[in-house]
Amino acid sequence: MKKNVAVIGMGLIGGSIAKAFKKHTNHTIWGYNRTRSTLETALSDGAIDMILTEDDLSKCDMVIIALYPDATIEFVKSYIERFARNTVIIDCSGTKEAICRELSPLAHEHGLYFIGGHPMAGIERSGYKYSYAEMYEGATMILCRDEHTNLIALKAAELLFLEIGFGGVTVTDSLTHDKQIAFTSQLAHVVSNAYIKSPTAKNRAGFSAGSYKDLTRVARLNEDMWTDLFFENKENLKYEIDYIIKSLGDYRDALEEGNKEKMRLLLKEGREAKEEIG
């Protein structure tokens, strides 16, 4: 059945979602963005069919919000009365606990279905001009459920994301999501960003290969967005940072002590851990 789908926020994430919908489905895609010129470009590109206004929200079957966490909460609260009953609202923010805590019961009170979402894909650039329809090909979409989640709406969302190219859907709760993302995503960005600050990096030309590229790719990040995400999830991220600091200290101590056997065991533990978890 053809649906009216609104994408709120036409940056890298939202722009790529809109383009994926246009590539894989015949749904009508409405776009909303703070900057009008971005919407006009998206309309010209064919990434969206129509520019969304406040009055059009009641026409939408599904609203996908690709904004920063605080902006997502503000948007839904500001326009909660304009959504039609049974509208499915899915956000795409990188943290879930605060958003789900605020918006899931609010949506339930108004006869709406809110699902916390997180598309596990991206590049080290930001903005609509870098968005592309294939960004989510084979990626995982995380969806968060709680006591207010409508299982029929959740299943429909799962099928829709698979339809636009995602390789799989993981269903979890918001607390588990934030704990795991602190390790798999946020810590990786912190480490990459800190690593590249070494003064030695300025002279790396001719001395770097794949390991350097892998470790530094996400150092080129959007500092505004990631600052918000880090502070939304600060306790989980602090735990992961403390753990890696301790682990790095073990390697340093082995060097300081001239203890090759200790170093070999540390490296062996890391290799075996990678082999075990993949």
Side-chain angles (χ1 to χ4, degrees), residues 2 23 25 43-44 47 49-50 64 104 152 169 173 176 178 183 204 270 272:
K2 189 172 183 178
K23 177 180 178 179
T25 77
L43 188 63
S44 176
D49 297 299
M50 299 182 186
I64 299 174
S104 182
I152 295 176
V169 177
D173 61 88
T176 300
D178 285 4
F183 171 71
R204 64 93 189 166
E272 290 176 345

Side-chain angles (χ1 to χ4, degrees), residues 73 76-77 96-107 114:
I73 294 170
V76 175
K77 286 185 173 181
K96 296 272 71 79
E97 201 277 324
I99 287 176
C100 292
R101 183 180 64 243
E102 289 270 355
L103 297 184
S104 182
L106 179 66
F114 179 82

Side-chain angles (χ1 to χ4, degrees), residues 115 143-145 149-159 171:
I115 302 170
L143 298 176
C144 293
R145 57 175 293 180
T149 302
N150 180 282
L151 297 183
I152 295 176
L154 180 65
K155 187 62 178 178
E158 288 185 49
L159 294 175
V171 177

